[in-house]
Amino acid sequence: MSAPGGPPTGPGPGRHQAPDVERFDQPPPPAAAPPPGDAPPGAAPAGAHREYPPDVSDVSVGDLLGRVSRDLSTLMRQELALAQAEVKQEARKAGKAAGSFGAAGFAGYMVLLFLSVALWAALSTVTGGGWAGLIVAAVWAVIGAIAFVLGRNNLRRTHPTPERTVDTLKQVPDALKGR
């Protein structure tokens, strides 16, 4: 059901399936017959095939609203469970990606460290070892200062308040008052 080494696809182990939901576009599976006298008004007799859409002419409005409320509640619980499972799956993927970026960052750090040592060694042949170390340190100080200035400028352009949302929320009371 899945590609080798890939994530599972389709229903099966390792794949979240939505909870069972009664569908009105397909006939229901046969159900156990309720004890005599316990069937709700308008329900099909035991062993009979239910009609879709169901005949509700003998059912009170209160019972219908109760059914709708129960079905909506069930649907919401199922949707929340599905959303929770999807978020967990996506969070797992994001965690793996973050770990990979962390490993890549550490590898990049090691590359820069060894390139700096190699530059230091190369400069040591032309100048003394101490001067070569100072030159490499000065190059890294300039790179660090440039990165700091760029980061500070980007941070100053960042607005942590969601301005459009705040504007919309300010308009809600007026909209409710009919202005």
Side-chain angles (χ1 to χ4, degrees):
M1 290 254 186
S2 66
T9 56
R15 180 80 175 158
H16 178 349
Q17 296 178 0
D20 293 332
V21 177
E22 184 176 351
R23 297 183 52 141
F24 289 104
D25 60 344
Q26 299 173 355
D38 284 354
H49 186 342
R50 293 193 298 186
E51 297 176 17
Y52 280 91
D55 180 22
V56 292
S57 59
D58 294 338
V59 182
S60 71
V61 173
D63 286 341
L64 288 175
L65 289 176
R67 287 182 190 180
V68 168
S69 174
R70 184 179 59 246
D71 290 347
L72 282 175
S73 176
T74 300
L75 179 62
M76 292 305 295
R77 278 194 307 264
Q78 291 170 344
E79 288 297 322
L80 286 173
L82 179 60
Q84 184 180 20
E86 288 175 350
V87 166
K88 280 184 183 179
Q89 186 177 18
E90 292 303 313
R92 235 178 265 123
K93 289 179 188 176
K96 288 179 183 179
S100 296
F101 279 131
F106 179 72
Y109 167 76
M110 295 303 289
V111 166
L112 288 176
L113 175 70
F114 286 110
L115 284 176
S116 298
V117 169
L119 178 62
W120 186 357
L123 288 174
S124 293
T125 60
V126 178
T127 64
W131 286 109
L134 285 175
I135 292 170
V136 171
V139 168
W140 278 112
V142 169
I143 292 172
I146 291 170
F148 173 78
V149 169
L150 290 174
R152 184 186 62 194
N153 290 342
N154 285 335
L155 186 60
R156 285 181 178 165
R157 286 188 294 236
T158 303
H159 302 288
T161 305
E163 294 172 3
R164 288 182 293 184
T165 303
V166 170
D167 290 341
T168 304
L169 289 175
K170 286 179 182 177
Q171 294 172 3
V172 168
D174 291 337
L176 291 175
K177 292 176 184 174
R179 293 186 211 166

